Amino acid sequence: MRLLFWLVVIITSITPAIASTLAQQTQRIISLSPHTTEMAYAAGLGDKLIAASAYSDYPPAAQQLERVANYRGLKMERILALKPDLILAWQGGNPSRELARLQQLGIKIIYSNPKTLADIPKTLAQLSQYADSPQPALQAAAAFKHQLQQLKQANHNKPKVRYFYQLGSAPLMTVADKGWPSQIFRFCGGENIFANSRAAYPLINQEQVVVRQPQVIFSPQPITTTQQLWAPWQHQLIAVKQHHIYQLNANWLNRPTPRTLLAIKQVCTLLDQVRDDH
């Protein structure tokens, strides 16, 4: 939090002339991931976005943007033809070789790879430099911190709940404790049964889940799909026996943006339900 405080101090102490120059120089922005698109709008940069990646669907205005990236890579020729002043990229999610090429051609790139909840307001503060007015971004950062602190107090010292987060079923996957969504569960008192896995996204089998006996199973998939997968284990698995299988909003959970607060509220509420049943 102290780092964010000093970052805001530095940004807000930039002379109006310098801030105005940065904003004036940045009129054409391309976002290469759904979460950076959301962050751009939250920082007051929506009117400067000219293109975005596939699945950039929030806020609704983002759905009108041209698509120049997807899971297969970047549309390099089109990106260059659009002549962006700034590119917002997902470090680790967008192809590094193509991004390096864009940088070599003189295009400024801001990389986003939030690893903690505190990185969300930091990113908002960073993006505020490129907005015509930095206030919307700084206000959004302050609001996020305030609400996060309130949620922290509300969920402080609650009993731990063992959880399993199911990413897919064919193959069956999960996330270790260092993956992005894990801090959301941990914030609410969740205890990842695969926390110490060496792989960030380990491939597992159902027997491994049963041995670890989670009290609750979360998944972004439809709840009926998850229930069908675990139905054969209803007598061996406490989460299934007590009907503690829940579907989470994938966009809230997986995108590190201000809407992460909604994911925290959802997860904390569901973990409270599990606690009440024990």
Side-chain angles (χ1 to χ4, degrees):
M1 291 298 182
R2 292 183 62 186
L3 179 58
L4 174 62
F5 170 78
W6 287 112
L7 179 59
V8 172
V9 169
I10 292 171
I11 290 172
T12 53
S13 64
I14 296 175
T15 64
I18 295 176
S20 177
T21 299
L22 287 173
Q24 289 176 0
Q25 291 176 347
T26 309
Q27 297 296 322
R28 300 175 62 79
I29 301 175
I30 291 178
S31 169
L32 298 181
S33 77
H35 91 264
T36 54
T37 301
E38 283 195 37
M39 293 295 280
Y41 277 99
L45 297 172
D47 61 339
K48 297 186 178 185
L49 282 170
I50 57 173
S53 68
Y55 302 107
S56 289
D57 54 8
Y58 188 86
Q63 299 175 26
Q64 306 303 317
L65 296 171
E66 180 179 345
R67 306 306 181 184
V68 293
N70 55 38
Y71 71 96
R72 296 179 179 176
L74 309 183
K75 298 180 181 179
M76 293 290 286
E77 291 185 6
R78 185 55 186 158
I79 290 174
L80 293 173
L82 288 171
K83 298 181 179 180
D85 306 313
L86 177 66
I87 288 178
L88 306 179
W90 176 18
Q91 190 170 27
N94 294 130
S96 57
R97 182 176 299 178
E98 294 175 353
L99 291 174
R101 175 60 178 158
L102 291 171
Q103 281 188 304
Q104 291 173 357
L105 294 172
I107 301 175
K108 181 178 179 60
I109 298 178
I110 291 181
Y111 289 93
S112 175
N113 186 27
K115 295 182 179 298
T116 69
L117 296 171
D119 287 336
I120 294 173
K122 289 177 188 176
T123 301
L124 288 170
Q126 180 185 21
L127 293 178
S128 72
Q129 303 172 81
Y130 303 95
D132 292 333
S133 170
Q135 292 309 308
L138 298 179
Q139 289 172 358
F144 183 93
K145 289 195 301 174
H146 177 68
Q147 293 182 57
L148 189 65
Q149 183 60 31
Q150 288 183 320
L151 289 169
K152 183 176 181 179
Q153 292 175 355
N155 292 279
H156 184 60
N157 281 338
K158 287 187 176 180
K160 301 292 184 183
V161 178
R162 297 188 312 280
Y163 77 90
F164 168 57
Y165 178 50
Q166 179 184 318
L167 265 183
S169 55
L172 189 61
M173 294 178 62
T174 189
V175 180
D177 227 28
K178 293 183 179 179
W180 165 252
S182 295
Q183 56 266 47
I184 295 174
F185 295 110
R186 189 164 57 247
F187 183 95
C188 296
E191 191 174 73
N192 188 351
I193 62 171
F194 288 99
N196 298 322
S197 175
R198 292 183 179 180
Y201 298 92
L203 296 176
I204 56 174
N205 58 52
Q206 290 178 298
E207 289 78 6
Q208 289 175 297
V209 176
V210 174
V211 167
R212 288 166 172 78
Q213 279 298 317
Q215 296 166 269
V216 58
I217 296 174
F218 292 115
S219 176
Q221 296 178 315
I223 191 169
T224 53
T225 301
T226 310
Q227 288 173 334
Q228 290 172 1
L229 177 67
W230 295 102
W233 302 92
Q234 59 183 320
H235 299 298
Q236 293 91 353
L237 198 52
I238 186 173
V240 182
K241 186 184 301 184
Q242 297 190 348
H243 307 289
H244 291 154
I245 297 178
Y246 301 110
Q247 180 182 3
L248 299 178
N249 187 305
N251 291 342
W252 295 353
L253 186 71
N254 296 324
R255 298 180 186 180
T257 73
R259 290 200 297 169
T260 295
L261 293 170
L262 298 176
I264 291 174
K265 292 176 182 178
Q266 184 181 37
V267 170
C268 288
T269 297
L270 293 174
L271 289 180
D272 279 344
Q273 292 182 21
V274 177
R275 294 185 183 98
D276 290 343
D277 288 345
H278 282 77

